Amino acid sequence: MLTKKLPFLVAFVMLLTSASFAQTIIKGNLIDASSGEPVIGANVSIVGTTTGAISDFDGEFSFKSNKEGEQKVAISFVGMSAIEKSVTLNGGTLELGTIKMESDAIGLEEVEVMASIAVDRKTPVAVATVSAEQIDMKLGNAEFPQVLKSSPGVYVSDAGGGYGDSRISLRGFDSENVAVMINGIPVNDMENGKVYWSNWAGLGDVTKTMQVQRGLGASKLAVPSVGGTINILTKTTDAQKGGNVFMGMGNDGYLKTGVTLSTGLMDNGWAVTTALSKTTGNGYVDGTSFEGYSYFLNVSKKINDKHTLAFTTFGAPQTHGQRRSYVTEEEYDRYGKRYNKDWGYRNGQEFNTNENFYHKPQMSLNHYWTINEKTDITTSAYVSVGRGGGTGIVSEDRHFESAYRDNSTGGIIDWDAYVANNRNEDGSSKGAYRAGYNNHLWTGALSTLTHQLNDNWTITGGLDLRYYLGEHYQQVEDLLGGDYYVDNQMASQPGRHTQVGDKVGYHNDGRVQWQGLFGQVEYSKDKLSAFFSGAVSHQAYQRIDYFSYESGTETTDWQSFLGGSVKAGANYNIDDHHNVFINGGYISRQPFFNAVFLNYQNDVNPDAVNEKILSGEIGYGYRNKGFKANVNGYYTLWQDKSFVKTVWEDDVPYTANLLGVNALHKGIEIDMSYRVNHKLTLTAMASLGDWRWMNDLEDVQIFDDQQNAIDTVNVYIAGAEVGNSAQTTAALGVEYEVFPKLKLTADWNYFGNLFADYDPTRRDSEEFSGQSAYEMPSYSLVDLGFNYGFKMGGFDGVFNFRVNNVFDTDYAVQGLQGGVDELGNMTMSGYYMGLGRTYSVGLKMSF
């Protein structure tokens, strides 16, 4: 028996032996072609088999194959173009080396250059990057800036709690001192530097990646990056055909639906991607119902290997109720944390004093020109047309609301009673419902040339041109029971009887010109990378006032200011694990529009000067097998900051012009992440800031509306903390794959050393000398989320469930400081409660 089976046993053993001899070990390393960072979690396999591996924390992969001869290795990753490599398998080890994976979006690399996207272990700045996948997982029905709240140095406030009303600060600097750029195009308001996130409420649907560069940042433009730069890159055009539909629901009637479609890159070189969505809800805060839409369109044409054209337009028309008035502790105790004193019912319908409505589409035409293998030019011509504003009451009585708040119905305004008593004996309205419009036309062109001198040196230069026309006026929307409203603000027609559609209060235009040049020299060799950049800009303002001046005298001369910046930095990679960087710079920034023309008049401020910012930073990074850690320290000295404040005395507005204010912002930031294995990732962050005003001011002059000096005050702010932003923050995060395709995310965020906002002109007596600002209670929030991926028919589905503020924590997110009580303690006049527990569920089906 054994003799008969022996040949078969020998053959079987030989078969096993030959199979083992034929095994080939396939190895390689995947990196992102644009950033140089490892691609983690990519699928690598032999075509036609289930044999393969997933790239690890360093982008490396290794697996065995029993196949022989000519085969194909397939590599795929979400957001990257798939790769197939032909290989010959004949046993032993096959080293594929470093493989660069390109984005599957057409024109993304060129946009990244124009937007000055920072590269890990090369660009010497402190940076945090948020991907589209993270936005999908963590945004839910929260405001778009909320996805950044776990980043060092960042404080995000819901403010009044209305749709799109969030505000964000970096290292204690508000939006006017934080450069916000979308696809490399600056979007800070040309008159006041602010960013209104309600204008960009649809960005969460179309953002491909968002990068926060703290401090001076990597941008080559002369932009207001005192606190940092928020770089948002939207989708370009997908190279692959497909799309998705999605639907989301949440608390307080939240409902969102949308669709995205892409043709992919067609044989004729054309590609089109479009996205549409609609969002509605009642709002967490009382009286803040909203309706918003968003749209996105990108059309690209690859003309040839040297030229590509891309047209992009996106916008988010919306309307929403607001909570603009601070609320006292007694009012919250009586009415609850959702309380809003700015609304009520009129004829049984919700009616809000403050209704915001706006549409600010942006359109750009980009040309990508590869002159040769060393020289590229990227040019963008863009236009933004903003239409809309916010409502309010224009009235003889500034305190009308308090007389018509009905405590028996929750402290809201009884609009029916107001309308019934709003008619004077002559038929005129005591007050009228008006809309304050802030329309604008913004056009610009941005062109960047990049030339690689050799393997180590690269020079970049370009031109930045902008023109802005802002139109500001109030218009009667509803007479609220009267026949007309008497407006006394037009100099040529005092006592004018106005009807619905007539302008009241004010009507003026602001014009802004901007011409800028920028350049950068960059060196990169082996372990060292360094840069030096400079920018110079000319900004000119002109004001036209149609109400306060007679015809022929309504237009000012152009007021011109030169500004600019210089920056330098270097990064040194000590080895594969350790790197250090340093950067520093100086910014001379032109004053804002209202610091040039005081008291909303054409009177030119002769003392308007550039603000000066000196900033420096050092940092250290560590990378090893899925573990990343960064620590950095910063020092920012801000000189000649100007405050223009409206001071009310006996219901009469006056203007105070504070010049020569200095502040010092310094701090330490730490962030780390640890990918324990393919299932578990841990993140942590801590940020410790010390932001204070440095000097008192003497003999600050107070002016009336004719620019006559009527009084002087001393301002005592030396040593007082900068308000409106948490100076100490911390975060812990967990992402865990419970089982294949089901991910759990949990985030804990802490906010401390949060000081109330305050008007410096109200610190006008010696009792404020050396007095700290009012410190609000610290608070912690916990958020949870689940994401489940599945396949259904020909669709790839993702189900998302998210709960923010799981424990329904009560906290004050923003406040306004009052005075000093009889014990010498600071008081707070009012504040906004943050949002309580909110939830959302969403379903996206991709094809």
CSV table of all heavy atoms in Angstrom, one decimal, residues 140-175:
chain,number,residue,atom,x,y,z
A,140,GLY,N,-21.6,66.9,10.3
A,140,GLY,CA,-23.0,66.7,10.6
A,140,GLY,C,-23.8,68.0,10.3
A,140,GLY,O,-23.7,68.6,9.2
A,141,ASN,N,-24.6,68.5,11.3
A,141,ASN,CA,-25.4,69.7,11.1
A,141,ASN,C,-24.8,70.9,11.8
A,141,ASN,O,-25.4,71.9,12.0
A,141,ASN,CB,-26.8,69.5,11.5
A,141,ASN,CG,-27.0,69.2,13.0
A,141,ASN,OD1,-26.0,68.9,13.6
A,141,ASN,ND2,-28.2,69.2,13.5
A,142,ALA,N,-23.5,70.8,12.2
A,142,ALA,CA,-22.8,71.9,12.8
A,142,ALA,C,-22.3,72.9,11.7
A,142,ALA,O,-22.3,72.6,10.5
A,142,ALA,CB,-21.6,71.3,13.6
A,143,GLU,N,-21.9,74.1,12.2
A,143,GLU,CA,-21.4,75.1,11.3
A,143,GLU,C,-20.0,74.7,10.7
A,143,GLU,O,-19.2,74.0,11.4
A,143,GLU,CB,-21.2,76.4,12.1
A,143,GLU,CG,-22.5,77.0,12.6
A,143,GLU,CD,-23.4,77.5,11.5
A,143,GLU,OE1,-22.9,78.0,10.5
A,143,GLU,OE2,-24.6,77.4,11.6
A,144,PHE,N,-19.7,75.1,9.5
A,144,PHE,CA,-18.5,74.7,8.8
A,144,PHE,C,-17.2,74.9,9.6
A,144,PHE,O,-16.4,74.0,9.7
A,144,PHE,CB,-18.4,75.4,7.5
A,144,PHE,CG,-17.3,75.0,6.6
A,144,PHE,CD1,-17.1,73.7,6.1
A,144,PHE,CD2,-16.3,75.9,6.3
A,144,PHE,CE1,-16.0,73.3,5.4
A,144,PHE,CE2,-15.2,75.6,5.5
A,144,PHE,CZ,-15.1,74.2,5.0
A,145,PRO,N,-17.0,76.1,10.3
A,145,PRO,CA,-15.8,76.3,11.0
A,145,PRO,C,-15.6,75.3,12.2
A,145,PRO,O,-14.5,75.2,12.7
A,145,PRO,CB,-15.9,77.7,11.5
A,145,PRO,CG,-16.9,78.4,10.6
A,145,PRO,CD,-17.9,77.3,10.3
A,146,GLN,N,-16.7,74.7,12.7
A,146,GLN,CA,-16.6,73.8,13.8
A,146,GLN,C,-15.7,72.6,13.6
A,146,GLN,O,-15.2,72.0,14.6
A,146,GLN,CB,-18.0,73.3,14.2
A,146,GLN,CG,-19.0,74.3,14.7
A,146,GLN,CD,-18.6,74.8,16.1
A,146,GLN,OE1,-17.9,74.1,16.9
A,146,GLN,NE2,-19.2,76.0,16.5
A,147,VAL,N,-15.4,72.2,12.4
A,147,VAL,CA,-14.5,71.1,12.2
A,147,VAL,C,-13.1,71.4,12.6
A,147,VAL,O,-12.2,70.5,12.7
A,147,VAL,CB,-14.5,70.6,10.7
A,147,VAL,CG1,-15.9,70.1,10.3
A,147,VAL,CG2,-14.1,71.7,9.8
A,148,LEU,N,-12.8,72.7,12.9
A,148,LEU,CA,-11.5,73.1,13.2
A,148,LEU,C,-11.3,73.3,14.7
A,148,LEU,O,-10.2,73.6,15.2
A,148,LEU,CB,-11.1,74.5,12.6
A,148,LEU,CG,-11.1,74.5,11.0
A,148,LEU,CD1,-10.9,75.9,10.5
A,148,LEU,CD2,-10.1,73.6,10.5
A,149,LYS,N,-12.3,73.0,15.5
A,149,LYS,CA,-12.3,73.4,16.9
A,149,LYS,C,-11.3,72.5,17.7
A,149,LYS,O,-10.9,72.9,18.8
A,149,LYS,CB,-13.6,73.3,17.6
A,149,LYS,CG,-14.2,71.9,17.7
A,149,LYS,CD,-15.6,72.0,18.3
A,149,LYS,CE,-16.3,70.6,18.4
A,149,LYS,NZ,-17.6,70.7,18.9
A,150,SER,N,-10.8,71.4,17.2
A,150,SER,CA,-9.8,70.6,17.9
A,150,SER,C,-8.4,70.9,17.4
A,150,SER,O,-7.5,70.1,17.7
A,150,SER,CB,-10.1,69.1,17.7
A,150,SER,OG,-11.4,68.7,18.3
A,151,SER,N,-8.2,72.0,16.7
A,151,SER,CA,-6.9,72.4,16.2
A,151,SER,C,-6.3,73.3,17.2
A,151,SER,O,-7.0,74.2,17.8
A,151,SER,CB,-7.0,73.0,14.9
A,151,SER,OG,-7.6,72.2,13.9
A,152,PRO,N,-5.0,73.3,17.4
A,152,PRO,CA,-4.3,74.2,18.4
A,152,PRO,C,-4.5,75.7,18.0
A,152,PRO,O,-4.5,76.0,16.8
A,152,PRO,CB,-2.8,73.8,18.3
A,152,PRO,CG,-2.8,72.4,17.7
A,152,PRO,CD,-4.0,72.3,16.8
A,153,GLY,N,-4.7,76.5,19.0
A,153,GLY,CA,-4.8,77.9,18.8
A,153,GLY,C,-6.1,78.4,18.2
A,153,GLY,O,-6.3,79.6,17.9
A,154,VAL,N,-7.1,77.5,18.0
A,154,VAL,CA,-8.3,77.8,17.3
A,154,VAL,C,-9.5,77.9,18.4
A,154,VAL,O,-9.6,77.1,19.3
A,154,VAL,CB,-8.7,76.8,16.3
A,154,VAL,CG1,-10.1,77.0,15.7
A,154,VAL,CG2,-7.7,76.8,15.1
A,155,TYR,N,-10.3,79.0,18.3
A,155,TYR,CA,-11.5,79.1,19.1
A,155,TYR,C,-12.6,79.4,18.1
A,155,TYR,O,-12.6,80.3,17.4
A,155,TYR,CB,-11.4,80.1,20.1
A,155,TYR,CG,-12.6,80.2,21.0
A,155,TYR,CD1,-12.9,79.1,21.9
A,155,TYR,CD2,-13.5,81.3,21.0
A,155,TYR,CE1,-14.1,79.2,22.7
A,155,TYR,CE2,-14.6,81.3,21.8
A,155,TYR,CZ,-14.9,80.3,22.6
A,155,TYR,OH,-16.0,80.3,23.4
A,156,VAL,N,-13.6,78.5,18.2
A,156,VAL,CA,-14.8,78.6,17.3
A,156,VAL,C,-16.0,78.9,18.2
A,156,VAL,O,-16.3,78.1,19.2
A,156,VAL,CB,-15.1,77.4,16.5
A,156,VAL,CG1,-16.3,77.6,15.6
A,156,VAL,CG2,-13.9,77.1,15.6
A,157,SER,N,-16.8,79.9,17.9
A,157,SER,CA,-17.9,80.3,18.7
A,157,SER,C,-19.2,80.2,17.8
A,157,SER,O,-19.1,80.6,16.7
A,157,SER,CB,-17.8,81.7,19.3
A,157,SER,OG,-19.0,82.2,19.7
A,158,ASP,N,-20.3,79.7,18.4
A,158,ASP,CA,-21.5,79.7,17.7
A,158,ASP,C,-22.1,81.1,17.7
A,158,ASP,O,-23.1,81.4,17.0
A,158,ASP,CB,-22.6,78.8,18.3
A,158,ASP,CG,-22.1,77.3,18.3
A,158,ASP,OD1,-21.8,76.9,17.2
A,158,ASP,OD2,-22.1,76.7,19.3
A,159,ALA,N,-21.5,82.0,18.4
A,159,ALA,CA,-22.0,83.4,18.5
A,159,ALA,C,-23.5,83.4,18.9
A,159,ALA,O,-23.8,82.7,19.9
A,159,ALA,CB,-21.7,84.2,17.3
A,160,GLY,N,-24.3,84.1,18.2
A,160,GLY,CA,-25.7,84.1,18.5
A,160,GLY,C,-26.5,82.8,18.3
A,160,GLY,O,-27.6,82.6,18.8
A,161,GLY,N,-25.9,81.9,17.5
A,161,GLY,CA,-26.5,80.6,17.3
A,161,GLY,C,-27.3,80.5,16.0
A,161,GLY,O,-27.8,79.5,15.8
A,162,GLY,N,-27.3,81.5,15.2
A,162,GLY,CA,-28.0,81.5,14.0
A,162,GLY,C,-27.2,80.7,12.9
A,162,GLY,O,-26.0,80.6,13.0
A,163,TYR,N,-27.9,80.3,11.9
A,163,TYR,CA,-27.3,79.5,10.8
A,163,TYR,C,-26.3,80.4,10.1
A,163,TYR,O,-26.5,81.5,9.6
A,163,TYR,CB,-28.5,79.2,9.8
A,163,TYR,CG,-28.0,78.5,8.5
A,163,TYR,CD1,-27.7,77.2,8.5
A,163,TYR,CD2,-28.0,79.2,7.3
A,163,TYR,CE1,-27.4,76.5,7.3
A,163,TYR,CE2,-27.6,78.6,6.1
A,163,TYR,CZ,-27.3,77.2,6.1
A,163,TYR,OH,-27.0,76.6,5.0
A,164,GLY,N,-25.0,79.9,10.1
A,164,GLY,CA,-23.9,80.6,9.4
A,164,GLY,C,-23.3,81.7,10.2
A,164,GLY,O,-22.5,82.4,9.7
A,165,ASP,N,-23.7,81.9,11.5
A,165,ASP,CA,-23.3,83.0,12.3
A,165,ASP,C,-22.0,82.7,13.1
A,165,ASP,O,-21.6,83.5,13.9
A,165,ASP,CB,-24.4,83.5,13.2
A,165,ASP,CG,-25.4,84.3,12.5
A,165,ASP,OD1,-25.2,84.7,11.4
A,165,ASP,OD2,-26.5,84.5,13.1
A,166,SER,N,-21.4,81.5,13.0
A,166,SER,CA,-20.2,81.2,13.7
A,166,SER,C,-19.1,82.2,13.5
A,166,SER,O,-19.0,82.8,12.4
A,166,SER,CB,-19.7,79.8,13.4
A,166,SER,OG,-20.6,78.8,13.9
A,167,ARG,N,-18.3,82.3,14.4
A,167,ARG,CA,-17.0,83.1,14.3
A,167,ARG,C,-15.9,82.3,14.7
A,167,ARG,O,-16.0,81.4,15.6
A,167,ARG,CB,-17.1,84.4,15.1
A,167,ARG,CG,-17.5,84.3,16.6
A,167,ARG,CD,-17.3,85.6,17.3
A,167,ARG,NE,-15.9,86.0,17.4
A,167,ARG,CZ,-15.1,85.5,18.4
A,167,ARG,NH1,-15.5,84.7,19.3
A,167,ARG,NH2,-13.8,85.9,18.4
A,168,ILE,N,-14.7,82.6,14.2
A,168,ILE,CA,-13.5,81.8,14.5
A,168,ILE,C,-12.4,82.8,14.7
A,168,ILE,O,-12.3,83.8,14.1
A,168,ILE,CB,-13.2,80.8,13.3
A,168,ILE,CG1,-12.0,79.9,13.7
A,168,ILE,CG2,-12.9,81.6,12.0
A,168,ILE,CD1,-11.8,78.8,12.6
A,169,SER,N,-11.5,82.4,15.7
A,169,SER,CA,-10.3,83.2,15.9
A,169,SER,C,-9.1,82.3,16.0
A,169,SER,O,-9.2,81.1,16.4
A,169,SER,CB,-10.4,84.0,17.2
A,169,SER,OG,-10.6,83.2,18.3
A,170,LEU,N,-7.9,82.8,15.6
A,170,LEU,CA,-6.7,82.1,15.7
A,170,LEU,C,-5.7,82.8,16.5
A,170,LEU,O,-5.4,84.0,16.3
A,170,LEU,CB,-6.1,81.9,14.3
A,170,LEU,CG,-6.7,80.8,13.3
A,170,LEU,CD1,-6.0,80.9,12.0
A,170,LEU,CD2,-6.6,79.5,13.9
A,171,ARG,N,-5.2,82.1,17.6
A,171,ARG,CA,-4.3,82.7,18.5
A,171,ARG,C,-4.7,84.1,19.0
A,171,ARG,O,-4.0,85.0,19.3
A,171,ARG,CB,-2.9,82.9,17.8
A,171,ARG,CG,-2.2,81.5,17.5
A,171,ARG,CD,-0.9,81.7,16.8
A,171,ARG,NE,-0.2,80.4,16.7
A,171,ARG,CZ,0.9,80.2,16.0
A,171,ARG,NH1,1.6,81.3,15.5
A,171,ARG,NH2,1.5,79.0,15.9
A,172,GLY,N,-6.1,84.2,19.2
A,172,GLY,CA,-6.6,85.4,19.8
A,172,GLY,C,-7.0,86.5,18.9
A,172,GLY,O,-7.4,87.5,19.3
A,173,PHE,N,-6.8,86.2,17.6
A,173,PHE,CA,-7.1,87.2,16.5
A,173,PHE,C,-8.4,86.9,15.8
A,173,PHE,O,-8.6,85.8,15.4
A,173,PHE,CB,-5.9,87.3,15.5
A,173,PHE,CG,-4.6,87.7,16.1
A,173,PHE,CD1,-3.6,86.8,16.4
A,173,PHE,CD2,-4.4,89.1,16.4
A,173,PHE,CE1,-2.4,87.2,17.0
A,173,PHE,CE2,-3.1,89.5,16.9
A,173,PHE,CZ,-2.2,88.5,17.2
A,174,ASP,N,-9.3,87.9,15.7
A,174,ASP,CA,-10.5,87.7,15.0
A,174,ASP,C,-10.3,87.6,13.5
A,174,ASP,O,-9.2,87.7,13.0
A,174,ASP,CB,-11.5,88.8,15.3
A,174,ASP,CG,-12.2,88.6,16.7
A,174,ASP,OD1,-12.3,87.4,17.1
A,174,ASP,OD2,-12.6,89.6,17.3
A,175,SER,N,-11.5,87.4,12.8
A,175,SER,CA,-11.4,87.1,11.3
A,175,SER,C,-10.7,88.2,10.5
A,175,SER,O,-10.1,87.9,9.5
A,175,SER,CB,-12.8,86.8,10.8
A,175,SER,OG,-13.6,88.0,10.9
